[in-house]
Amino acid sequence: MSAHDGVELALWRVNGGGEPVLLLHGLGSNRLGFDWPGRSFAEWLAARGYDVFLPELRGHGRSERPGRGWDLDDYLNQDLPALLSAVTALSGRQQLHWMGHSMGGLLWFLLATHGDPVAVRSAIALGSALDYRPGASGFRSLLGLKPLARKLPSLPYGGLMHWLAPLFGRAHATPDAFNVRPSNVEAPLNRRLHANAFETIPTALLEQLSSAFEPTGLSSRDGSVRYLEPRQALQTPTLLVAGSHDPQATLEAIRASATLLGDAAQVLELGRSQGCRDEYGHWDLLIGRRAPQEVWPKLLGWLEQHAMTK
């Protein structure tokens, strides 16, 4: 599948024969979060009658990596229109359900408030925020590295995680807590995840995302669009799923984002205070040891509530 500027994008399909669901990965990752061998939400959903599509944005997984850097503007203006067009054409449906993790949910917020969301029937954003200013996000502590990052064309995040992976899931290792709550993900899965599910991130994208922590919030590449100032109200039913101990998209940021998005947005918080066996971090919502029992059925319930036949 080709994006509007000719970049070739990978699109995987697990066909259950029913309503189409697009599962979009986050920053510096690939489809494996939604389609982990032995704990695949994509296969679980297809077994319940959904036509599941797993795209990989430019530079991720098996999609083409352009010679120049890219950012949110490229995703919004090139990749997302191509993905929506491909999924509706392949499924034979005019609408689909959107489910995005982390940046995959953020991209939905931007499309819904500044683009053309007509093809989306309902949406779920897992570990995603639009307004990152509230709360103590771990990303904020990394802003001091911007001068160094600007000297590099990209950050070899995937390579770094692959190198560190053997340390993760052990008592003396803490860097993995940025992505998972170690107690909520089996140690072997934790290590395999970090070794295989992450990619190199272009500096241009990181530079743009860092604007989310400025007083006026996230902006377009040239600063002309302030995404906290919507061009249109969110009309599509959207569920924001928040992990109780997510160090990336904090509860405060997700609650503030839902308030900003308005009445069509609802928040689902997951952790011990909601009856879960453990607290939830950033990736646990997808591949946590109890996600198939505690999280996935709730996502299915949202899809069923907003079925296209209703």
Side-chain angles (χ1 to χ4, degrees), residues 88-296:
T88 52
L90 289 169
S91 66
R93 305 269 189 146
Q94 294 183 337
Q95 286 192 306
L96 54 84
H97 300 280
W98 181 299
M99 201 174 299
H101 178 236
S102 196
M103 188 184 70
L106 169 62
L107 287 171
W108 161 245
F109 301 150
L110 304 188
L111 178 69
T113 59
H114 288 81
D116 182 5
V118 68
V120 180
R121 170 73 172 188
S122 75
I124 299 176
L126 300 110
S128 310
L130 174 58
D131 187 356
Y132 275 88
R133 297 172 302 174
S137 172
F139 284 118
R140 190 182 296 275
S141 63
L142 301 177
L143 295 176
L145 299 176
K146 285 176 65 174
L148 175 62
R150 287 171 179 153
K151 299 180 183 297
L152 303 171
S154 60
L155 177 69
Y157 185 67
L160 177 63
M161 290 298 100
H162 186 89
W163 181 69
L164 291 173
L167 301 176
F168 293 158
R170 307 182 192 279
H172 65 276
T174 57
D176 52 339
F178 187 66
N179 287 317
V180 303
R181 185 170 178 81
S183 63
N184 205 15
V185 179
E186 299 92 332
L189 194 160
N190 185 351
R191 291 190 282 273
R192 292 198 302 272
L193 178 79
H194 282 88
N196 295 284
F198 295 95
E199 309 283 347
T200 296
I201 308 172
T203 302
L205 176 58
L206 293 173
E207 180 80 23
Q208 185 176 8
L209 287 169
S210 71
S211 69
F213 297 96
E214 296 176 0
T216 54
L218 185 67
S219 67
S220 60
R221 179 189 303 149
D222 61 5
S224 63
V225 180
R226 301 291 183 182
Y227 289 115
L228 300 189
E229 301 171 1
R231 290 178 175 170
Q232 62 211 21
L234 174 70
Q235 300 291 336
T236 306
T238 299
L239 182 67
L240 285 74
V241 183
S244 56
H245 283 57
D246 187 339
Q248 298 187 32
T250 64
L251 284 173
E252 295 89 344
I254 290 177
R255 290 168 181 162
S257 299
T259 299
L260 181 68
L261 290 166
D263 293 342
Q266 298 181 32
V267 176
L268 171 64
E269 299 180 10
L270 293 171
R272 288 188 182 275
S273 62
Q274 288 76 38
C276 299
R277 293 282 299 279
D278 201 346
E279 308 295 355
Y280 274 83
H282 195 62
W283 280 76
D284 315 8
L285 298 168
L286 299 180
I287 50 84
R289 65 173 74 225
R290 301 179 189 90
Q293 295 78 39
E294 296 181 339
V295 184
W296 296 359

